[in-house]
Amino acid sequence: MTVLDTGRVRLHVQRLAPTDGGPPRATVVLVHGLLTDSLASYYFTVAPALAGAGLDVVMYDQRGHGRSGRPPSGYGLDDATDDLDALLAGLDVPGPVHLVGNSYGGTVAFAFARRRPERVASLVVVESEPATAAWAVKLAGLLERVRHEMSVNENAALDWIAAHHGGHTARLAKSAGRLVRDTTIARDIPASPVLDDAQIRTVRCPVLALYGADSDLAEQAPRLRALLPHCTTVLLPGLRHSVLVEAPGRVRDAVREWVGRHDRTPPPREPVTAGSQGCTR
């Protein structure tokens, strides 16, 4: 375990070297989602297998989450992008990296790819989307709902979560409730700068987008293929939003194959035909 002080926040970091002891083929940075999520969602699913495939695996708790610092303010998307930039600099990670983002972590990955395209070899986003005006409205509603439920009726909400999803999830929800109540996250994230279609098109690196076929976000698949010149989308039958937790093997295999395909070959300079939609094998 490492605690990296960026000067703005202390970030809890875990890094797994290739298990064969050899030099890494590439570096993969895993970015988790909001509120109840943390680097643990990767540590106990795909991270060890990626290290076993010869990759340098970096994962960290975003500010306010897990074991990272919880400042009272500074939770906008630009802050999250600043943190990722400072993380790579602080760890002295060389060369372009492959970013894997789950849910809000994928939104952070998109933002970082726009800001620092020279630092990104490819993106793998799981149940995610770029920050748009519609995204901001959706996040505002979600965060306000959490704030209300965990402020007005916390005990009843936690009892329901424990009964339906177990005590561990209830403990995560209690921590998420404190984050929303005690910080400005519920205001900061929806107020983040958003992208129009022209700005999204500036993401030039290869993008693999994985969605549960039964998820509300599955409608992002054709949109991303239309906007991004080097995008492949995959719909996973029978799954909703919790793709990483419910199908870690399929996520692991998709990331390994994608990084293997793009770890040495730069993306073409000119747009090519958008990637196809299908199911992982």
Side-chain angles (χ1 to χ4, degrees):
M1 184 184 80
T2 298
V3 175
L4 176 68
D5 190 342
T6 70
R8 301 173 70 247
V9 67
R10 292 168 63 85
L11 297 176
H12 167 226
V13 184
Q14 294 277 2
R15 192 169 188 175
L16 302 181
T19 54
D20 62 5
R25 292 170 38 213
T27 297
V28 177
V29 181
L30 311 178
V31 190
H32 67 75
L34 274 179
L35 299 184
T36 58
D37 209 355
S38 71
L39 68 78
S41 64
Y42 288 114
Y43 190 87
F44 292 108
T45 54
V46 302
L50 297 178
L55 300 172
D56 171 28
V57 180
V58 176
M59 51 197 145
Y60 67 105
D61 287 327
Q62 296 204 61
R63 61 171 58 211
H65 295 74
R67 298 181 180 180
S68 287
R70 182 172 287 186
S73 61
Y75 288 89
L77 184 56
D78 280 345
D79 298 298
T81 308
D82 289 341
D83 291 343
L84 178 53
D85 208 0
L87 174 82
L88 297 180
L91 296 178
D92 196 24
V93 175
V97 301
H98 301 269
L99 293 179
V100 178
N102 182 47
S103 193
Y104 177 67
T107 307
V108 175
F110 275 118
F112 188 81
R114 287 198 72 247
R115 180 193 292 187
R116 297 294 304 275
E118 78 283 358
R119 293 290 275 143
V120 181
S122 77
L123 299 182
V124 179
V125 296
V126 182
E127 276 290 303
S128 187
E129 59 188 313
T132 63
W135 167 89
V137 171
K138 179 170 58 179
L139 266 289
L142 168 66
L143 290 165
E144 175 55 27
R145 186 164 64 251
V146 172
R147 188 204 63 77
H148 177 78
E149 291 178 357
M150 300 305 286
S151 298
V152 175
N153 210 12
E154 179 181 23
N155 290 335
L158 292 176
D159 287 346
W160 186 92
I161 292 170
H164 290 81
H165 301 286
H168 175 66
T169 302
R171 289 189 292 274
L172 294 176
K174 185 174 183 178
S175 179
R178 289 197 301 268
L179 175 62
V180 173
R181 287 197 312 267
D182 299 342
T183 74
T184 60
I185 190 171
R187 296 195 301 272
D188 293 350
I189 288 181
S192 299
V194 296
L195 307 177
D196 59 24
D197 287 356
Q199 291 169 316
I200 293 172
R201 288 190 180 98
T202 65
V203 175
R204 309 298 293 177
C205 65
V207 177
L208 173 64
L210 307 177
Y211 296 104
D214 299 329
S215 167
D216 292 343
L217 281 171
E219 65 186 20
Q220 289 292 324
R223 172 172 164 77
L224 287 183
R225 290 198 310 274
L227 290 173
L228 300 176
H230 317 296
C231 180
T232 298
T233 61
V234 177
L235 299 185
L236 301 175
L239 298 179
R240 298 180 67 85
H241 189 61
S242 300
V243 168
L244 179 61
V245 174
E246 295 177 5
R250 303 186 81 169
V251 175
R252 173 202 65 211
D253 293 345
V255 172
R256 286 193 303 198
E257 191 278 333
W258 187 256
V259 172
R261 189 191 310 175
H262 297 288
D263 59 354
R264 293 185 178 87
T265 304
R269 292 182 178 274
E270 297 298 325
V272 297
T273 303
S276 59
Q277 174 180 321
C279 298
T280 53
R281 290 173 291 180

mmCIF file of all heavy atoms in Angstrom, residues 96-140:
data_model
loop_
_atom_site.group_PDB
_atom_site.id
_atom_site.type_symbol
_atom_site.label_atom_id
_atom_site.label_comp_id
_atom_site.label_asym_id
_atom_site.label_seq_id
_atom_site.Cartn_x
_atom_site.Cartn_y
_atom_site.Cartn_z
ATOM 1 N N PRO A 96 2.638 6.395 -22.358
ATOM 2 C CA PRO A 96 1.171 6.363 -22.340
ATOM 3 C C PRO A 96 0.659 5.154 -21.562
ATOM 4 O O PRO A 96 1.274 4.085 -21.569
ATOM 5 C CB PRO A 96 0.802 6.256 -23.824
ATOM 6 C CG PRO A 96 2.014 6.693 -24.576
ATOM 7 C CD PRO A 96 3.174 6.287 -23.726
ATOM 8 N N VAL A 97 -0.465 5.334 -20.891
ATOM 9 C CA VAL A 97 -1.069 4.268 -20.095
ATOM 10 C C VAL A 97 -2.417 3.887 -20.690
ATOM 11 O O VAL A 97 -3.016 4.635 -21.462
ATOM 12 C CB VAL A 97 -1.253 4.698 -18.627
ATOM 13 C CG1 VAL A 97 0.075 5.075 -18.013
ATOM 14 C CG2 VAL A 97 -2.252 5.852 -18.506
ATOM 15 N N HIS A 98 -2.889 2.724 -20.317
ATOM 16 C CA HIS A 98 -4.227 2.272 -20.673
ATOM 17 C C HIS A 98 -5.134 2.536 -19.477
ATOM 18 O O HIS A 98 -4.883 2.025 -18.384
ATOM 19 C CB HIS A 98 -4.215 0.785 -21.026
ATOM 20 C CG HIS A 98 -3.307 0.452 -22.164
ATOM 21 N ND1 HIS A 98 -3.722 0.431 -23.474
ATOM 22 C CD2 HIS A 98 -1.978 0.143 -22.182
ATOM 23 C CE1 HIS A 98 -2.705 0.122 -24.263
ATOM 24 N NE2 HIS A 98 -1.629 -0.058 -23.505
ATOM 25 N N LEU A 99 -6.154 3.338 -19.667
ATOM 26 C CA LEU A 99 -7.076 3.670 -18.591
ATOM 27 C C LEU A 99 -8.294 2.764 -18.658
ATOM 28 O O LEU A 99 -8.904 2.604 -19.718
ATOM 29 C CB LEU A 99 -7.533 5.123 -18.702
ATOM 30 C CG LEU A 99 -6.478 6.211 -18.473
ATOM 31 C CD1 LEU A 99 -7.118 7.589 -18.642
ATOM 32 C CD2 LEU A 99 -5.855 6.085 -17.088
ATOM 33 N N VAL A 100 -8.638 2.183 -17.511
ATOM 34 C CA VAL A 100 -9.849 1.378 -17.382
ATOM 35 C C VAL A 100 -10.731 2.072 -16.359
ATOM 36 O O VAL A 100 -10.337 2.244 -15.203
ATOM 37 C CB VAL A 100 -9.527 -0.057 -16.927
ATOM 38 C CG1 VAL A 100 -10.816 -0.867 -16.756
ATOM 39 C CG2 VAL A 100 -8.591 -0.741 -17.911
ATOM 40 N N GLY A 101 -11.913 2.502 -16.774
ATOM 41 C CA GLY A 101 -12.797 3.236 -15.876
ATOM 42 C C GLY A 101 -14.151 2.583 -15.754
ATOM 43 O O GLY A 101 -14.802 2.281 -16.760
ATOM 44 N N ASN A 102 -14.571 2.356 -14.513
ATOM 45 C CA ASN A 102 -15.884 1.771 -14.241
ATOM 46 C C ASN A 102 -16.851 2.882 -13.840
ATOM 47 O O ASN A 102 -16.570 3.657 -12.926
ATOM 48 C CB ASN A 102 -15.783 0.742 -13.112
ATOM 49 C CG ASN A 102 -17.127 0.073 -12.820
ATOM 50 O OD1 ASN A 102 -17.818 -0.348 -13.732
ATOM 51 N ND2 ASN A 102 -17.476 -0.008 -11.547
ATOM 52 N N SER A 103 -17.982 2.990 -14.530
ATOM 53 C CA SER A 103 -19.014 3.964 -14.218
ATOM 54 C C SER A 103 -18.419 5.381 -14.226
ATOM 55 O O SER A 103 -17.856 5.808 -15.227
ATOM 56 C CB SER A 103 -19.665 3.604 -12.877
ATOM 57 O OG SER A 103 -20.853 4.323 -12.666
ATOM 58 N N TYR A 104 -18.488 6.113 -13.109
ATOM 59 C CA TYR A 104 -17.917 7.467 -13.065
ATOM 60 C C TYR A 104 -16.418 7.450 -13.362
ATOM 61 O O TYR A 104 -15.881 8.413 -13.910
ATOM 62 C CB TYR A 104 -18.168 8.082 -11.691
ATOM 63 C CG TYR A 104 -17.568 9.456 -11.504
ATOM 64 C CD1 TYR A 104 -18.051 10.546 -12.221
ATOM 65 C CD2 TYR A 104 -16.535 9.658 -10.602
ATOM 66 C CE1 TYR A 104 -17.505 11.812 -12.041
ATOM 67 C CE2 TYR A 104 -15.981 10.915 -10.417
ATOM 68 C CZ TYR A 104 -16.476 11.994 -11.136
ATOM 69 O OH TYR A 104 -15.935 13.249 -10.963
ATOM 70 N N GLY A 105 -15.754 6.353 -13.047
ATOM 71 C CA GLY A 105 -14.327 6.247 -13.379
ATOM 72 C C GLY A 105 -14.081 6.348 -14.872
ATOM 73 O O GLY A 105 -13.054 6.868 -15.314
ATOM 74 N N GLY A 106 -15.022 5.857 -15.682
ATOM 75 C CA GLY A 106 -14.898 6.000 -17.123
ATOM 76 C C GLY A 106 -15.079 7.438 -17.567
ATOM 77 O O GLY A 106 -14.424 7.893 -18.516
ATOM 78 N N THR A 107 -15.951 8.179 -16.882
ATOM 79 C CA THR A 107 -16.116 9.597 -17.188
ATOM 80 C C THR A 107 -14.821 10.345 -16.894
ATOM 81 O O THR A 107 -14.408 11.224 -17.665
ATOM 82 C CB THR A 107 -17.285 10.183 -16.369
ATOM 83 O OG1 THR A 107 -18.453 9.391 -16.579
ATOM 84 C CG2 THR A 107 -17.579 11.611 -16.779
ATOM 85 N N VAL A 108 -14.171 10.003 -15.785
ATOM 86 C CA VAL A 108 -12.856 10.581 -15.475
ATOM 87 C C VAL A 108 -11.842 10.222 -16.557
ATOM 88 O O VAL A 108 -11.049 11.058 -16.996
ATOM 89 C CB VAL A 108 -12.366 10.106 -14.092
ATOM 90 C CG1 VAL A 108 -10.948 10.610 -13.811
ATOM 91 C CG2 VAL A 108 -13.317 10.558 -12.990
ATOM 92 N N ALA A 109 -11.881 8.986 -17.022
ATOM 93 C CA ALA A 109 -10.941 8.548 -18.059
ATOM 94 C C ALA A 109 -11.147 9.321 -19.354
ATOM 95 O O ALA A 109 -10.176 9.733 -20.008
ATOM 96 C CB ALA A 109 -11.102 7.046 -18.301
ATOM 97 N N PHE A 110 -12.398 9.525 -19.750
ATOM 98 C CA PHE A 110 -12.670 10.339 -20.942
ATOM 99 C C PHE A 110 -12.110 11.748 -20.773
ATOM 100 O O PHE A 110 -11.492 12.307 -21.692
ATOM 101 C CB PHE A 110 -14.176 10.425 -21.208
ATOM 102 C CG PHE A 110 -14.745 9.279 -21.996
ATOM 103 C CD1 PHE A 110 -15.712 8.450 -21.452
ATOM 104 C CD2 PHE A 110 -14.327 9.041 -23.304
ATOM 105 C CE1 PHE A 110 -16.259 7.404 -22.181
ATOM 106 C CE2 PHE A 110 -14.860 7.997 -24.045
ATOM 107 C CZ PHE A 110 -15.829 7.176 -23.478
ATOM 108 N N ALA A 111 -12.341 12.350 -19.604
ATOM 109 C CA ALA A 111 -11.865 13.713 -19.362
ATOM 110 C C ALA A 111 -10.340 13.776 -19.415
ATOM 111 O O ALA A 111 -9.763 14.722 -19.975
ATOM 112 C CB ALA A 111 -12.375 14.207 -18.005
ATOM 113 N N PHE A 112 -9.688 12.775 -18.855
ATOM 114 C CA PHE A 112 -8.222 12.764 -18.867
ATOM 115 C C PHE A 112 -7.691 12.577 -20.283
ATOM 116 O O PHE A 112 -6.694 13.193 -20.676
ATOM 117 C CB PHE A 112 -7.695 11.654 -17.960
ATOM 118 C CG PHE A 112 -6.205 11.697 -17.777
ATOM 119 C CD1 PHE A 112 -5.629 12.573 -16.874
ATOM 120 C CD2 PHE A 112 -5.381 10.852 -18.497
ATOM 121 C CE1 PHE A 112 -4.249 12.619 -16.702
ATOM 122 C CE2 PHE A 112 -4.014 10.890 -18.340
ATOM 123 C CZ PHE A 112 -3.445 11.784 -17.436
ATOM 124 N N ALA A 113 -8.352 11.745 -21.064
ATOM 125 C CA ALA A 113 -7.905 11.515 -22.446
ATOM 126 C C ALA A 113 -8.008 12.785 -23.277
ATOM 127 O O ALA A 113 -7.203 13.002 -24.188
ATOM 128 C CB ALA A 113 -8.726 10.396 -23.083
ATOM 129 N N ARG A 114 -8.999 13.627 -22.990
ATOM 130 C CA ARG A 114 -9.097 14.908 -23.690
ATOM 131 C C ARG A 114 -7.999 15.870 -23.237
ATOM 132 O O ARG A 114 -7.422 16.593 -24.047
ATOM 133 C CB ARG A 114 -10.457 15.561 -23.443
ATOM 134 C CG ARG A 114 -11.606 14.913 -24.172
ATOM 135 C CD ARG A 114 -12.798 15.858 -24.233
ATOM 136 N NE ARG A 114 -12.545 16.961 -25.165
ATOM 137 C CZ ARG A 114 -12.419 18.218 -24.814
ATOM 138 N NH1 ARG A 114 -12.479 18.583 -23.543
ATOM 139 N NH2 ARG A 114 -12.210 19.156 -25.723
ATOM 140 N N ARG A 115 -7.735 15.890 -21.948
ATOM 141 C CA ARG A 115 -6.754 16.836 -21.423
ATOM 142 C C ARG A 115 -5.327 16.434 -21.744
ATOM 143 O O ARG A 115 -4.505 17.281 -22.090
ATOM 144 C CB ARG A 115 -6.905 16.968 -19.907
ATOM 145 C CG ARG A 115 -5.905 17.960 -19.311
ATOM 146 C CD ARG A 115 -5.811 17.905 -17.818
ATOM 147 N NE ARG A 115 -7.034 18.375 -17.167
ATOM 148 C CZ ARG A 115 -7.125 18.532 -15.849
ATOM 149 N NH1 ARG A 115 -6.084 18.225 -15.078
ATOM 150 N NH2 ARG A 115 -8.251 18.967 -15.306
ATOM 151 N N ARG A 116 -5.025 15.148 -21.614
ATOM 152 C CA ARG A 116 -3.650 14.684 -21.777
ATOM 153 C C ARG A 116 -3.592 13.534 -22.788
ATOM 154 O O ARG A 116 -3.267 12.399 -22.445
ATOM 155 C CB ARG A 116 -3.085 14.213 -20.432
ATOM 156 C CG ARG A 116 -2.986 15.292 -19.356
ATOM 157 C CD ARG A 116 -1.971 16.373 -19.707
ATOM 158 N NE ARG A 116 -0.667 15.817 -19.957
ATOM 159 C CZ ARG A 116 0.231 15.548 -19.003
ATOM 160 N NH1 ARG A 116 -0.053 15.782 -17.739
ATOM 161 N NH2 ARG A 116 1.410 15.058 -19.315
ATOM 162 N N PRO A 117 -3.912 13.790 -24.041
ATOM 163 C CA PRO A 117 -3.973 12.701 -25.024
ATOM 164 C C PRO A 117 -2.644 11.979 -25.191
ATOM 165 O O PRO A 117 -2.639 10.781 -25.506
ATOM 166 C CB PRO A 117 -4.398 13.418 -26.315
ATOM 167 C CG PRO A 117 -4.044 14.850 -26.101
ATOM 168 C CD PRO A 117 -4.245 15.101 -24.635
ATOM 169 N N GLU A 118 -1.539 12.679 -24.973
ATOM 170 C CA GLU A 118 -0.222 12.044 -25.123
ATOM 171 C C GLU A 118 0.061 11.036 -24.024
ATOM 172 O O GLU A 118 0.966 10.211 -24.157
ATOM 173 C CB GLU A 118 0.865 13.129 -25.139
ATOM 174 C CG GLU A 118 1.249 13.714 -23.782
ATOM 175 C CD GLU A 118 0.232 14.725 -23.239
ATOM 176 O OE1 GLU A 118 -0.765 15.005 -23.934
ATOM 177 O OE2 GLU A 118 0.442 15.231 -22.111
ATOM 178 N N ARG A 119 -0.736 11.048 -22.958
ATOM 179 C CA ARG A 119 -0.520 10.138 -21.824
ATOM 180 C C ARG A 119 -1.415 8.913 -21.887
ATOM 181 O O ARG A 119 -1.344 8.052 -21.012
ATOM 182 C CB ARG A 119 -0.789 10.879 -20.506
ATOM 183 C CG ARG A 119 0.192 11.975 -20.182
ATOM 184 C CD ARG A 119 1.560 11.384 -19.824
ATOM 185 N NE ARG A 119 1.624 11.005 -18.420
ATOM 186 C CZ ARG A 119 2.271 9.923 -17.968
ATOM 187 N NH1 ARG A 119 2.834 9.093 -18.813
ATOM 188 N NH2 ARG A 119 2.329 9.672 -16.682
ATOM 189 N N VAL A 120 -2.283 8.821 -22.910
ATOM 190 C CA VAL A 120 -3.275 7.749 -22.951
ATOM 191 C C VAL A 120 -3.089 6.899 -24.201
ATOM 192 O O VAL A 120 -3.211 7.395 -25.323
ATOM 193 C CB VAL A 120 -4.708 8.320 -22.901
ATOM 194 C CG1 VAL A 120 -5.724 7.181 -22.927
ATOM 195 C CG2 VAL A 120 -4.895 9.180 -21.658
ATOM 196 N N ALA A 121 -2.805 5.611 -24.004
ATOM 197 C CA ALA A 121 -2.678 4.679 -25.130
ATOM 198 C C ALA A 121 -4.045 4.178 -25.579
ATOM 199 O O ALA A 121 -4.286 3.981 -26.775
ATOM 200 C CB ALA A 121 -1.792 3.503 -24.730
ATOM 201 N N SER A 122 -4.944 3.938 -24.623
ATOM 202 C CA SER A 122 -6.293 3.488 -24.959
ATOM 203 C C SER A 122 -7.181 3.644 -23.742
ATOM 204 O O SER A 122 -6.701 3.843 -22.614
ATOM 205 C CB SER A 122 -6.303 2.021 -25.428
ATOM 206 O OG SER A 122 -6.183 1.138 -24.334
ATOM 207 N N LEU A 123 -8.482 3.538 -23.977
ATOM 208 C CA LEU A 123 -9.474 3.544 -22.906
ATOM 209 C C LEU A 123 -10.281 2.261 -22.956
ATOM 210 O O LEU A 123 -10.634 1.773 -24.027
ATOM 211 C CB LEU A 123 -10.456 4.713 -23.054
ATOM 212 C CG LEU A 123 -9.951 6.153 -23.021
ATOM 213 C CD1 LEU A 123 -11.142 7.107 -23.151
ATOM 214 C CD2 LEU A 123 -9.172 6.430 -21.769
ATOM 215 N N VAL A 124 -10.592 1.730 -21.768
ATOM 216 C CA VAL A 124 -11.633 0.721 -21.623
ATOM 217 C C VAL A 124 -12.614 1.285 -20.602
ATOM 218 O O VAL A 124 -12.230 1.537 -19.451
ATOM 219 C CB VAL A 124 -11.098 -0.631 -21.145
ATOM 220 C CG1 VAL A 124 -12.252 -1.625 -20.989
ATOM 221 C CG2 VAL A 124 -10.045 -1.180 -22.096
ATOM 222 N N VAL A 125 -13.841 1.526 -21.008
ATOM 223 C CA VAL A 125 -14.835 2.079 -20.092
ATOM 224 C C VAL A 125 -15.947 1.052 -19.910
ATOM 225 O O VAL A 125 -16.409 0.428 -20.867
ATOM 226 C CB VAL A 125 -15.391 3.427 -20.593
ATOM 227 C CG1 VAL A 125 -14.284 4.470 -20.634
ATOM 228 C CG2 VAL A 125 -16.040 3.316 -21.961
ATOM 229 N N VAL A 126 -16.345 0.869 -18.659
ATOM 230 C CA VAL A 126 -17.346 -0.128 -18.302
ATOM 231 C C VAL A 126 -18.572 0.594 -17.754
ATOM 232 O O VAL A 126 -18.485 1.299 -16.738
ATOM 233 C CB VAL A 126 -16.803 -1.114 -17.251
ATOM 234 C CG1 VAL A 126 -17.842 -2.189 -16.929
ATOM 235 C CG2 VAL A 126 -15.494 -1.736 -17.720
ATOM 236 N N GLU A 127 -19.695 0.471 -18.440
ATOM 237 C CA GLU A 127 -20.931 1.114 -17.985
ATOM 238 C C GLU A 127 -20.696 2.598 -17.715
ATOM 239 O O GLU A 127 -20.943 3.106 -16.613
ATOM 240 C CB GLU A 127 -21.455 0.416 -16.732
ATOM 241 C CG GLU A 127 -22.279 -0.814 -17.017
ATOM 242 C CD GLU A 127 -23.624 -0.445 -17.650
ATOM 243 O OE1 GLU A 127 -24.384 0.319 -17.053
ATOM 244 O OE2 GLU A 127 -23.910 -0.922 -18.765
ATOM 245 N N SER A 128 -20.217 3.294 -18.722
ATOM 246 C CA SER A 128 -19.805 4.682 -18.523
ATOM 247 C C SER A 128 -20.125 5.526 -19.746
ATOM 248 O O SER A 128 -20.505 5.012 -20.799
ATOM 249 C CB SER A 128 -18.309 4.735 -18.211
ATOM 250 O OG SER A 128 -17.918 6.037 -17.854
ATOM 251 N N GLU A 129 -19.926 6.846 -19.594
ATOM 252 C CA GLU A 129 -20.191 7.794 -20.662
ATOM 253 C C GLU A 129 -19.378 9.050 -20.414
ATOM 254 O O GLU A 129 -18.980 9.332 -19.280
ATOM 255 C CB GLU A 129 -21.678 8.142 -20.705
ATOM 256 C CG GLU A 129 -22.194 8.747 -19.406
ATOM 257 C CD GLU A 129 -23.693 8.914 -19.390
ATOM 258 O OE1 GLU A 129 -24.241 9.431 -20.378
ATOM 259 O OE2 GLU A 129 -24.320 8.529 -18.374
ATOM 260 N N PRO A 130 -19.103 9.848 -21.446
ATOM 261 C CA PRO A 130 -18.456 11.138 -21.229
ATOM 262 C C PRO A 130 -19.395 12.091 -20.486
ATOM 263 O O PRO A 130 -20.605 11.877 -20.430
ATOM 264 C CB PRO A 130 -18.188 11.644 -22.661
ATOM 265 C CG PRO A 130 -18.392 10.466 -23.550
ATOM 266 C CD PRO A 130 -19.355 9.573 -22.865
ATOM 267 N N ALA A 131 -18.815 13.150 -19.928
ATOM 268 C CA ALA A 131 -19.612 14.156 -19.220
ATOM 269 C C ALA A 131 -20.343 15.039 -20.225
ATOM 270 O O ALA A 131 -19.719 15.778 -20.983
ATOM 271 C CB ALA A 131 -18.712 15.000 -18.331
ATOM 272 N N THR A 132 -21.650 14.945 -20.259
ATOM 273 C CA THR A 132 -22.488 15.768 -21.131
ATOM 274 C C THR A 132 -23.520 16.491 -20.263
ATOM 275 O O THR A 132 -23.634 16.232 -19.053
ATOM 276 C CB THR A 132 -23.213 14.913 -22.171
ATOM 277 O OG1 THR A 132 -24.092 14.002 -21.480
ATOM 278 C CG2 THR A 132 -22.223 14.122 -23.029
ATOM 279 N N ALA A 133 -24.309 17.363 -20.880
ATOM 280 C CA ALA A 133 -25.354 18.060 -20.136
ATOM 281 C C ALA A 133 -26.359 17.067 -19.548
ATOM 282 O O ALA A 133 -26.800 17.206 -18.398
ATOM 283 C CB ALA A 133 -26.054 19.066 -21.039
ATOM 284 N N ALA A 134 -26.713 16.040 -20.320
ATOM 285 C CA ALA A 134 -27.647 15.026 -19.822
ATOM 286 C C ALA A 134 -27.041 14.248 -18.665
ATOM 287 O O ALA A 134 -27.720 13.904 -17.691
ATOM 288 C CB ALA A 134 -28.044 14.087 -20.959
ATOM 289 N N TRP A 135 -25.752 13.940 -18.769
ATOM 290 C CA TRP A 135 -25.036 13.259 -17.678
ATOM 291 C C TRP A 135 -25.091 14.094 -16.412
ATOM 292 O O TRP A 135 -25.329 13.565 -15.314
ATOM 293 C CB TRP A 135 -23.595 13.006 -18.112
ATOM 294 C CG TRP A 135 -22.667 12.600 -17.022
ATOM 295 C CD1 TRP A 135 -22.398 11.336 -16.591
ATOM 296 C CD2 TRP A 135 -21.839 13.471 -16.231
ATOM 297 N NE1 TRP A 135 -21.477 11.347 -15.570
ATOM 298 C CE2 TRP A 135 -21.117 12.649 -15.339
ATOM 299 C CE3 TRP A 135 -21.642 14.851 -16.192
ATOM 300 C CZ2 TRP A 135 -20.209 13.174 -14.413
ATOM 301 C CZ3 TRP A 135 -20.746 15.378 -15.266
ATOM 302 C CH2 TRP A 135 -20.043 14.551 -14.395
ATOM 303 N N ALA A 136 -24.863 15.405 -16.502
ATOM 304 C CA ALA A 136 -24.853 16.275 -15.329
ATOM 305 C C ALA A 136 -26.217 16.275 -14.647
ATOM 306 O O ALA A 136 -26.314 16.227 -13.406
ATOM 307 C CB ALA A 136 -24.445 17.694 -15.726
ATOM 308 N N VAL A 137 -27.292 16.320 -15.431
ATOM 309 C CA VAL A 137 -28.639 16.282 -14.859
ATOM 310 C C VAL A 137 -28.878 14.960 -14.139
ATOM 311 O O VAL A 137 -29.433 14.917 -13.026
ATOM 312 C CB VAL A 137 -29.690 16.508 -15.959
ATOM 313 C CG1 VAL A 137 -31.101 16.247 -15.429
ATOM 314 C CG2 VAL A 137 -29.585 17.919 -16.513
ATOM 315 N N LYS A 138 -28.459 13.876 -14.757
ATOM 316 C CA LYS A 138 -28.648 12.552 -14.151
ATOM 317 C C LYS A 138 -27.879 12.426 -12.839
ATOM 318 O O LYS A 138 -28.408 11.936 -11.838
ATOM 319 C CB LYS A 138 -28.203 11.476 -15.142
ATOM 320 C CG LYS A 138 -28.334 10.063 -14.616
ATOM 321 C CD LYS A 138 -28.116 9.050 -15.724
ATOM 322 C CE LYS A 138 -26.785 9.179 -16.394
ATOM 323 N NZ LYS A 138 -26.574 8.168 -17.451
ATOM 324 N N LEU A 139 -26.615 12.884 -12.830
ATOM 325 C CA LEU A 139 -25.802 12.795 -11.610
ATOM 326 C C LEU A 139 -26.355 13.691 -10.516
ATOM 327 O O LEU A 139 -26.320 13.335 -9.334
ATOM 328 C CB LEU A 139 -24.353 13.157 -11.925
ATOM 329 C CG LEU A 139 -23.408 11.988 -12.248
ATOM 330 C CD1 LEU A 139 -23.108 11.165 -11.005
ATOM 331 C CD2 LEU A 139 -23.985 11.099 -13.333
ATOM 332 N N ALA A 140 -26.882 14.857 -10.884
ATOM 333 C CA ALA A 140 -27.476 15.740 -9.887
ATOM 334 C C ALA A 140 -28.647 15.051 -9.193
ATOM 335 O O ALA A 140 -28.785 15.099 -7.960
ATOM 336 C CB ALA A 140 -27.932 17.040 -10.535
#
